[in-house]
Amino acid sequence: MGRLLLIDGHNLAYRAFHAFPPLTAPDGHPSGAVTGTLNVLLSVLEREQPTHAIVALDGPEGSWRKGVRPTYKAGRTKADSSLIDQLIALPGLFPPFGIPVETRVGEEADDLIAGATRIAEREGHEVRILSSDRDLWALASPRTTILVPAPKATFKEMTPDAVRAELGVDPVTIPEWKALVGDNSDNLPGVPGVGPKTAATLLAGRSLDALLADPKGAGATDRIAVALDEFADQAREVRRLATLGSPDDIDLAAARLGGHSRRELEQLVARWGLRRIESRLDEICALLDTCAAG
């Protein structure tokens, strides 16, 4: 059995871009997002020492969810041009470390992470997911923990108990909870008048379908019962959009660490001017070897 590290690549790069000061590579290109991404990567490798790792990236041409609901994720601020340049380079940052990159047309990184998580759990692995995306909290389980980057190279651990403490529902119930409260980050509407605590109470011990079939039996007030009836179809659609996919053909064997290349790492740090990482290359290669042998 091993430990699989799943990295939400675009999420990590966006966070790094906003957390780091403007930096430039030797050729003058912006490099703050790249530098921050790799710094966090090394921190989590040192902390978790996984045997396997995969970086998941959002697929080209957008998500299938846009076809279901055109306003999905509408209103998000357009990425800065200096970040876009670094996002283009993102897929090439990880293979020198021996970490494969997964991306598929129409799929979001979350869906790929969910698929890999379910495969890994079936095979008996532990899973650590590196992301600040709350959608992934739905995957928290006795074997899977979400690591949310925090200040000073620390991480907040979202376990099932932590999710319940934060949201009031079990991780597997999150898509149904979102069907009631909505999700502003993805521009998904909720049922009017239903807030997070009310949603958790209404879903206690029952499914969304059972709630919609008998709101009063779940303790809904007259006003909320009317709203649930009126917005039932919307709630079912939001549940579908908030439910993570689970592709079952992700190759975990290819994610085994140990395939790093010292020469490619040297080229990477030279390209981006990563002096701190360059000074640690011996240590980094030894760490990757230790992970592979775990």
Side-chain angles (χ1 to χ4, degrees), residues 25 43 53 76 78 86 91 94 96 117 141 171 184 188 232 242-243:
S43 292
R76 289 195 174 189
K78 187 176 180 180
Q86 294 175 82
F94 305 98
T117 295
S141 76
N184 289 336
L188 295 176
T243 299

Side-chain angles (χ1 to χ4, degrees), residues 16 21 31 33 38 43 69-70 80 230:
S31 63
L38 294 182
S43 292
R69 192 175 187 88
D80 186 283
E230 181 179 352

